[in-house]
Amino acid sequence: MSKAGRSQEETRRRNLGDLLRHVHLSGALSRSELADRMGLNRSTIMALTAELSAAGLVGEELPGDTGRAGRPSLVVRPERDRAHVLAFDVRVDRLVAARVGLGGEILDRREAVRPRAGADLEDVVGVLAGFGRELRRGVRPGSVCVGVGAAYCGMIRPDDGTVRYGPYVGWVDQAFGVELGSRLGLPVLVGNEAHLGALAERDRGVGRGFDNLIYLHGDVGVGGGIIVGGRLLGGDGGYGCELGHMMVNPYDGRPCMCGSRGCLEAEVGEHALIDAAGRSGELSGREGVRAVVEAAGRGDAAAEEALHRIGDWLGIGVANLINLFNPGMVIFGGMLRDVYPGSAAQVGHRVEANAMVISREQVRLRVSALGDDVTLVGAAELAFSRLLASPLGVLAEMRRRSAQHRAGPRRGALGGLVRP
């Protein structure tokens, strides 16, 4: 193929992906709306839509009564039952799996409790692979799995999904992505939970329309994701935005799992809140956090004081981030979604006292719109990323894998099972 031919093919592939991305994230759109968004003429949109429709990725239909004269523009919608992904969310104390249709709707899901029992790679992979097989058995005929994504509560090497460091559960250099992919017979993309949460809120949550935002995710510890100019700030090796290990209390700080003292997560995480409320040894996990929040709502003085203390340290961290990155929005997710409403006054006071006026004057502080599913949604979007980059090529690849999956494992010459 000539250089000009390759250039035309690359442009076509990119336009197919862009069109599919628009309907995946926004739902049904008319051809005229797509033409306006993409800056292309109607005939080009018609040709792109025809290709995606023939592949089974989108459908077209007449709109409802528009009240306008003339021929209406056809509406293009994602085919949620024809293409789906598997999404996994590995939290400190819970495992979640879902089948998510093109367009972002969760079609089916499974959950299990995860004991805080140390390095449990084999157990985690076994449970998730079992969930994956169950979810795949429930698909409608003709639906193709076009990707697999997983969110993990730790530092992830993007190239192969290795968990370099998973605090609180003892994971160090665990080949999570490779092991799960081997069990499923499908390639698996893995991302840090807070990074994926940031992307999910930008694309589908309260951060839509913001190119510069910060997402703070609380679990046992605290993680973060930073979007700058519409792109995730990943760092040199993909380990950037460890906002939980920003120093906020260096002189009298609580010990942190990272080996330091006074980190943001040490001062505002699960253990800090429960200890401050005087409930150490009695409560734990998200249920423990919510119990403290509910007690504060009932007027419990110790719980109220705990939320105020957490809010003070959280506000110092947020003020630092505002000064550094000048975001349009800061979003609180995970356990911080529960904690923030009761500590908003303290956070706001610290931001007003410690963030530069010109940096803070436009910033919005919000809780996650996606709730407890924020990191699961992020994992699903990670899984869809390959399809949206090259719709027809990835669809063809995954259809081949799906056919091999239906055929089942083959017997080798010596009778051993051979994975397709």
Side-chain angles (χ1 to χ4, degrees), residues 87-397:
F88 301 103
D89 186 10
V90 182
R91 307 174 193 172
V92 171
D93 50 18
R94 183 160 294 274
L95 303 174
V96 186
R99 178 165 50 88
V100 182
L102 187 65
E105 182 179 352
I106 295 176
L107 304 174
D108 196 3
R109 66 188 297 153
R110 301 287 188 278
E111 294 192 27
V113 172
R114 180 191 184 191
R116 298 183 183 181
D120 55 348
L121 174 65
E122 184 67 23
D123 292 338
V124 168
V125 168
V127 171
L128 294 183
F131 282 165
R133 289 189 291 270
E134 290 178 19
L135 292 168
R136 293 174 78 184
R137 283 197 293 267
V139 302
R140 296 181 59 177
S143 183
V144 180
C145 179
V146 295
V148 183
Y152 189 88
C153 51
M155 301 175 72
I156 308 300
R157 184 164 63 203
D159 292 345
D160 60 3
T162 294
V163 178
R164 297 300 313 279
Y165 177 54
Y168 299 101
V169 291
W171 282 32
V172 177
D173 290 332
Q174 299 287 300
F176 172 58
V178 171
E179 290 295 327
L180 182 57
S182 176
R183 294 285 191 94
L184 292 172
L186 294 168
V188 177
L189 298 176
V190 184
N192 169 269
E193 61 174 357
H195 290 189
L196 297 182
L199 294 171
E201 286 293 336
R202 180 201 65 184
D203 291 341
R204 296 192 176 276
V206 71
R208 293 188 76 160
F210 285 81
D211 286 335
N212 298 281
L213 64 82
I214 295 173
Y215 173 73
L216 281 167
H217 185 84
D219 199 343
V220 179
V222 173
I226 301 174
I227 305 291
V228 177
R231 298 176 65 87
L232 180 71
L233 185 64
D236 187 54
Y239 311 124
C241 306
E242 283 295 318
L243 305 185
H245 299 288
M246 172 174 49
M247 187 69 64
V248 295
N249 185 15
Y251 300 113
D252 190 31
R254 291 167 55 91
C256 182
M257 285 289 291
C258 72
S260 186
R261 300 184 72 92
C263 294
L264 181 66
E265 80 168 41
E267 302 297 343
V268 308
E270 171 195 317
H271 298 308
L273 177 66
I274 291 173
D275 289 352
R279 310 287 288 272
S280 180
E282 176 187 344
L283 300 174
S284 66
R286 287 294 292 279
E287 292 77 13
V289 170
R290 286 170 175 159
V292 173
V293 171
E294 290 167 5
R298 295 192 301 268
D300 182 286
E304 287 181 338
E305 177 59 29
L307 280 179
H308 293 171
R309 175 182 173 83
I310 295 301
D312 199 43
W313 291 120
L314 183 59
I316 290 174
V318 170
N320 285 333
L321 293 170
I322 290 172
N323 286 335
L324 281 168
F325 296 101
N326 183 213
M329 181 175 286
V330 177
I331 305 169
F332 303 97
M335 63 156 268
L336 294 179
R337 183 174 183 267
D338 301 312
V339 167
Y340 176 70
S343 59
Q346 285 68 35
V347 174
H349 173 74
R350 277 296 185 179
V351 168
E352 186 174 350
N354 300 114
M356 296 175 65
V357 174
I358 56 175
S359 296
R360 73 170 192 258
E361 60 186 359
Q362 299 294 331
V363 70
R364 296 164 174 83
L365 306 182
R366 298 288 188 271
V367 296
S368 164
L370 300 173
D372 287 344
D373 281 338
V374 59
T375 47
L376 183 70
V377 171
E381 293 307 316
L382 180 64
F384 277 118
S385 62
R386 291 180 65 243
L387 179 75
L388 299 180
S390 180
L392 302 186
V394 170
L395 182 64
E397 172 198 339

